[in-house]
Structures are given as structure tokens and as C-alpha cells.
Amino acid sequence: MTEAELVRSLSERFYSDFADTVARRVRDADAVDLLYRVATSQYGHLPKPARHKVTFRSAYVLEKIYFAAPDAFMPFAGAFCDRDFPGCADPSAQRHFAKIMADLLGRYTPDFSSLDRIAETAAQWAVDPGTKVAVRIWAVEVLKHCRERIGWVTESWDDLVETMAHDATPGIECRMRKSWNPGRSDKA
């Protein structure tokens, strides 16, 4: 699979099992490294709508691969933690990256400086009222993993949850009831 073929398949008409089908093609072609590069690149040469589509869909497919075959993703775990998660600027890709990171931090331990950058990024996404709700939810899930490892996250946890509770959407309210209660000490 070439980069052009991958970008073309990510730009196809969307259908019900799009991400699963593209993930299977990528894995069959042993092209997870190529998908990772596409998901974490800017693609400035593409028109804005196509660039957004490729960025979002490649992140979605990467998430599918991560959860179906985490070992296929693990060679990229260091770069994802060090550079690519904190550098994700696409609002639609952020949801997929945060979902991956929320699970990855239970499997992989980045160095302290990377973990601090991850926490800073997740905190920004979590409290920014302009951030999509799903991104905010997954960002707090990332912070839950940082809570016992990063002092400022531990110290600010209750304030973060209170901030999330202000004008909370039903999705955020549900998540709060399940696992973000202020003062809760378990690491779910």
C-alpha cells in the first residue's frame, strides 16, 4: 500500500464499516506505520476539507487498529506520547487520540516529561468550552491515569471535576456519576 493509495482510501465515500474495512486493509498490507504517519501529519498540500477528512479518518482507523491489535500500535507508543498526542490540533482527531491515550497509559509508561505534556494537553482539552464533548470526556479519562503520577493533576482533580460539572452535558453528567466524583480516590 502506498501513501497515495491510503490517502485515497481514507477519502472514499463513507460507509457503515468504513473504519473496520480500512483498518483491515492497512493491517493486511502491513502498513500501520504508513497509517500512523498519515494520522500524525499535517497534509498542508491538500485542500482544507480533504485534509480534515484524511486527518479525522486516519485517526479513526488508527483507533480501530489500536483496540483490535494493540501490539501493532506499540512501536509508535513513544512518539505518540512524546510528540503526536500533545501536537494533535484537529478537533475531530483529538477524540480518537484521547481515547487511545486513555487506554495506552494503562499499558505503557512514558517518561515524566512526556506524561506532563500529555496531562497539560488533556487538561487544556478538558476545560476548553469550545472543545467537543467527546474530546472533553476522553481528556478527563487521560487525566485520571495521570492523577497518581503528576502532582498538579492530583492537586487540581477536584477543581477539574467541578469545572466539568458546570453546565455539564448529559454525557459528562453520566461520566461524572460513574467515575469522576470529586474526592474519589480509586484509579478506574
Side-chain angles (χ1 to χ4, degrees):
M1 177 179 284
T2 67
E3 183 175 348
E5 290 169 335
L6 177 58
V7 169
R8 190 171 36 257
S9 71
L10 292 167
S11 303
E12 290 176 347
R13 184 177 175 89
F14 197 80
Y15 45 91
S16 63
D17 63 343
F18 175 87
D20 292 320
T21 300
V22 175
R24 189 171 41 260
R25 285 183 201 156
V26 166
R27 288 184 56 214
D28 289 349
D30 195 28
V32 177
D33 59 336
L34 178 59
L35 174 67
Y36 186 84
R37 277 197 318 272
V38 169
T40 58
S41 297
Q42 296 300 318
Y43 279 87
H45 65 283
L46 293 175
K48 190 173 181 177
R51 182 173 57 236
H52 172 72
K53 185 184 289 188
V54 168
T55 301
F56 162 68
R57 290 182 178 181
S58 60
Y60 184 28
V61 172
L62 189 63
E63 175 196 323
K64 288 290 190 175
I65 289 173
Y66 174 81
F67 284 103
D71 290 344
F73 180 88
M74 292 311 282
F76 313 104
F80 190 71
C81 291
D82 295 342
R83 176 190 66 234
D84 298 321
F85 175 81
C88 182
D90 184 90
S92 297
Q94 288 172 349
R95 174 191 180 271
H96 302 289
F97 276 30
K99 191 173 179 181
I100 291 168
M101 184 60 75
D103 186 79
L104 182 62
L105 289 176
R107 301 171 191 251
Y108 177 83
T109 304
D111 63 58
F112 182 81
S113 65
S114 294
L115 189 60
D116 195 50
R117 277 192 308 278
I118 290 164
E120 287 175 9
T121 300
Q124 288 170 357
W125 294 353
V127 300
D128 180 353
T131 300
K132 294 178 179 183
V133 171
V135 175
R136 294 174 70 202
I137 288 171
W138 285 110
V140 175
E141 293 296 322
V142 169
L143 289 168
K144 280 175 56 178
H145 286 281
C146 299
R147 195 167 53 175
E148 299 299 318
R149 304 180 206 175
I150 304 287
W152 66 263
V153 177
T154 304
E155 294 167 6
S156 61
W157 181 256
D158 291 347
D159 292 336
L160 173 68
V161 173
E162 280 185 37
T163 300
M164 296 297 290
H166 184 69
D167 294 328
T169 64
I172 290 174
E173 286 179 353
C174 179
R175 191 60 66 118
M176 287 179 70
R177 281 191 305 274
K178 288 183 178 181
S179 65
W180 299 348
N181 295 327
R184 192 169 168 161
S185 61
D186 65 320
K187 297 189 290 183

